[in-house]
Amino acid sequence: QKHIDAIGGAQAWKDIKAMSATAKASMMGGQMELSMTMKQKRPNMVRMDFAFQGNAMTRATDGTTAWQVNPM
């Protein structure tokens, strides 16, 4: 309960309509890099975009139908 109160209460969390996150990782001493962006929108929409070694991949869903573009 302390955490919920610290972030503004349960209603504030329920009022959030969309969120996004980004991440980057490097491997093999920085020779390979991966980046990721994730976007979520209520109620069930999610889109993830990845970039790896010059290739891009996208995965998404609207909660009913999922699709992806994967050239790898």
Side-chain angles (χ1 to χ4, degrees):
Q1 186 62 42
K2 285 183 179 181
H3 176 70
I4 292 170
D5 293 340
I7 61 171
Q11 189 59 47
W13 184 255
K14 290 176 184 176
D15 289 342
I16 294 172
K17 303 286 188 250
M19 296 189 304
S20 65
T22 58
K24 275 191 175 182
S26 62
M27 299 165 267
M28 297 179 59
Q31 295 177 9
M32 299 172 71
E33 285 195 359
L34 168 73
S35 64
M36 186 270 307
T37 302
M38 181 177 67
K39 296 179 181 180
Q40 294 179 287
K41 186 175 180 182
R42 288 191 192 265
N44 296 316
M45 295 176 143
V46 179
R47 179 183 173 126
M48 293 183 288
D49 295 298
F50 301 90
F52 179 70
Q53 296 299 99
N55 293 305
M57 182 175 82
T58 299
R59 300 180 92 180
T61 182
D62 62 6
T64 303
T65 303
W67 58 272
Q68 73 175 355
V69 176
N70 185 353
M72 294 182 221

